[in-house]
Structure formats: C-alpha cells, structure tokens
Amino acid sequence: MNKPFYTDYIRHALRFYSRNLSITTFKKDVDRENWIACNEVILNYPIRDKDILVYVYGSYDTLADNVYEMSKKHSINQAIIWDMMKEFERKIAEKRGLL
C-alpha cells in the first residue's frame, strides 16, 4: 500500500514536536509552524491517546517497534495505533495546508 505524499514530512514534524514538548524558541519559522500545528491537533485527543502518540513519535526506536511497545503496554491491537497515527497525520497535514 502506498503512503500519502505528506507522511514523511508530517512524521518529521511529529518527531520534532514529541521530542520538544516544552520548547519556546525555534531556529526556523517552519519548525514553529509545524510544532503549533501538531500541538493544536493533539490537544483534541484523550490523554491516553496523547501519551501513545507522543511515545510512538518521540522515542528513538523505529515507529514499528514503538507501536509494538505501546500496544503491549495498553493491551490494544497494533492496527488501532497505526490507524490512530494515520488519522493524526492527516489532520496535521490539513492544518499545515498540505491537503
């Protein structure tokens, strides 16, 4: 299955966001805009989903390994997390004007 054109860009933004949750100054305007978009979208998620998403994108292992870890920790199917990620990435792409 082909991934959407925006996936790599949005995942890069999400890694930056998840690893810099408390950042207040940015080196580039695009980093600030991406961070704000990620933050605005994630605020609409329940706490558990926020925790899962921040862990999956912010941890330094592969996304697949991070999804596996969260599925074990929360006793949910990995497919549910992948679907959550797909929806989350699409919402951020929309917020950034990519769709």
Side-chain angles (χ1 to χ4, degrees):
M1 181 189 311
N2 293 332
K3 62 184 177 181
F5 70 92
Y6 56 80
T7 300
D8 291 334
Y9 180 84
I10 296 300
R11 286 183 178 173
H12 175 78
L14 283 164
R15 281 190 299 276
F16 179 80
Y17 172 79
S18 297
R19 294 173 184 171
N20 299 282
L21 293 173
S22 301
I23 196 169
T24 57
T25 58
F26 300 88
K27 293 180 181 177
K28 300 176 185 173
D29 287 341
V30 70
D31 289 337
R32 180 179 47 78
E33 292 168 8
N34 287 340
W35 191 95
I36 290 170
C38 294
N39 193 57
E40 287 177 356
V41 171
I42 205 167
L43 289 176
N44 296 313
Y45 280 78
I47 296 289
R48 184 189 78 148
D49 292 354
K50 288 178 190 178
D51 291 343
I52 291 170
L53 291 166
V54 167
Y55 180 87
V56 166
Y57 291 106
S59 294
Y60 290 91
D61 213 339
T62 65
L63 284 178
D65 287 341
N66 296 339
V67 167
Y68 174 75
E69 286 300 318
M70 284 290 97
S71 73
K72 279 182 29 183
K73 180 179 178 181
H74 292 281
S75 300
I76 57 177
N77 190 299
Q78 292 180 50
I80 292 170
I81 297 175
W82 286 109
D83 288 344
M84 182 188 333
M85 292 168 59
K86 187 185 326 179
E87 175 190 347
F88 186 50
E89 292 169 7
R90 184 187 50 75
K91 288 179 180 180
I92 295 169
E94 288 174 357
K95 180 73 79 176
R96 289 295 287 129
L98 299 175
L99 296 175

